[in-house]
Amino acid sequence: MMKIRTKKFGAIEVSPDQEIRFVQPLIGFPGLVNYVLVDTGTCVKWLQSMDDPGIVFPVVNPFDVKRDYNVEIPTSEAGLLGVEDAADVQLWTVTVLSSNVDEIRTNLRAPIVLNRRNGTAKQVVLPDSNLPIKCYFVPQTTQSNKEVANAGSYA
Amino acid sequence: MLVLTRRKGESIILGDDVEVKILELHGSQVKIGVQAPQSLSVHRKEVYLAIQRENKAAAESAEGKETSAETHEPGETQH
């Protein structure tokens, strides 16, 4: 057990098998490669940096947000993470929290791919450009929704 | 910034193991081939920047400045 200091959770204990090592830092956060996934019992988990007590990312299981989330992890990326069995792979997506529910969103284009067997991970930018970088939890009330509603009234 | 002119089919080499090749030209569009080691990420800049912004927004939102109702935690303050 190793004790680490965090800004959000205070001092927490991390066992070696909980440690996550990123083969590349998250985009925009150079130098930070050691993380731990903190579970506070909600559907939002916390990817806490072990290198910087002040850095923590809310993450969610993308399949909770989008049931038909379909990802094909490029072979080269799977190779970087040493993936031998697809069952070892866990996906987490970086999530923006907000007191305004309309702002809560998660990034389905660049999930964190974690190989649980060896604890290595990477934020993988998927080639599928149809996957939203901002997938809002609450469907956006846009003009198109109003149009659908109007169209419904004619039916 | 280094500026150089290349023709279709020509390349530039970055360092020892990265090759950037001009594949096709269509008006204002250029098709580029990049050959690089697996450990080197290659991104479209606008996608890279958008992901960087989202990562930063996520990290800021975790500080509790903006906290959703379901993630209330003791000792967390909202300003």
Side-chain angles (χ1 to χ4, degrees):
Chain A
M1 279 293 205
M2 181 177 158
K3 206 167 197 171
I4 62 159
R5 222 163 39 82
T6 74
K7 197 172 154 197
K8 190 169 184 65
F9 308 104
I12 55 170
E13 299 222 312
V14 179
S15 62
D17 63 312
Q18 285 180 296
E19 289 179 29
I20 298 172
R21 191 184 54 82
F22 277 72
V23 294
Q24 268 169 35
L26 269 83
I27 295 170
F29 292 82
L32 307 179
V33 293
N34 298 298
Y35 285 85
V36 59
L37 200 60
V38 179
D39 188 342
T40 56
T42 62
C43 63
V44 176
K45 315 290 178 217
W46 306 89
L47 188 68
Q48 168 70 52
S49 168
M50 294 176 67
D51 306 314
D52 182 336
I55 298 294
V56 58
F57 299 92
V59 295
V60 298
N61 178 345
F63 299 101
D64 287 344
V65 181
K66 201 170 182 295
R67 285 210 176 276
D68 60 346
Y69 187 48
N70 231 326
V71 289
E72 198 173 321
I73 298 157
T75 326
S76 58
E77 306 281 11
L80 269 183
L81 299 175
V83 174
E84 288 168 9
D85 185 347
D88 295 331
V89 173
Q90 245 183 21
L91 296 180
W92 296 99
T93 52
V94 176
T95 302
V96 177
L97 301 176
S98 173
S99 52
N100 176 1
V101 289
D102 290 338
E103 282 298 317
I104 301 175
R105 58 189 188 262
T106 198
N107 182 349
L108 296 182
R109 180 78 189 274
I112 288 161
V113 181
L114 167 64
N115 180 359
R116 295 203 47 181
R117 182 162 301 206
N118 59 13
T120 60
K122 189 189 173 195
Q123 185 172 31
V124 173
V125 181
L126 297 170
D128 182 357
S129 59
N130 291 320
L131 291 168
I133 292 173
K134 295 181 180 186
C135 174
Y136 289 92
F137 284 29
V138 177
Q140 299 293 284
T141 45
T142 57
Q143 194 58 38
S144 61
N145 283 357
K146 284 174 198 157
E147 279 165 15
V148 169
N150 287 341
S153 66
Y154 290 110
Chain B
M1 183 191 280
L2 170 70
V3 179
L4 30 81
T5 303
R6 299 275 67 194
R7 291 175 198 283
K8 183 178 161 183
E10 291 181 338
S11 293
I12 60 169
I13 304 283
L14 307 177
D16 291 323
D17 42 19
V18 179
E19 179 173 1
V20 181
K21 190 170 185 178
I22 309 303
L23 300 177
E24 275 175 46
L25 298 162
H26 285 292
S28 64
Q29 275 197 327
V30 182
K31 192 177 268 182
I32 292 171
V34 181
Q35 206 151 48
Q38 283 184 5
S39 58
L40 199 79
S41 304
V42 179
H43 303 288
R44 290 177 174 82
K45 187 175 179 182
E46 64 276 16
V47 173
Y48 179 90
L49 291 178
I51 291 168
Q52 187 179 62
R53 274 197 301 274
E54 281 301 280
N55 281 352
K56 289 194 169 163
E60 278 167 23
S61 79
E63 286 172 18
K65 289 174 191 161
E66 281 282 21
T67 308
S68 73
E70 68 171 343
T71 57
H72 275 310
E73 286 181 52
E76 209 170 354
T77 50
Q78 293 193 27
H79 294 290

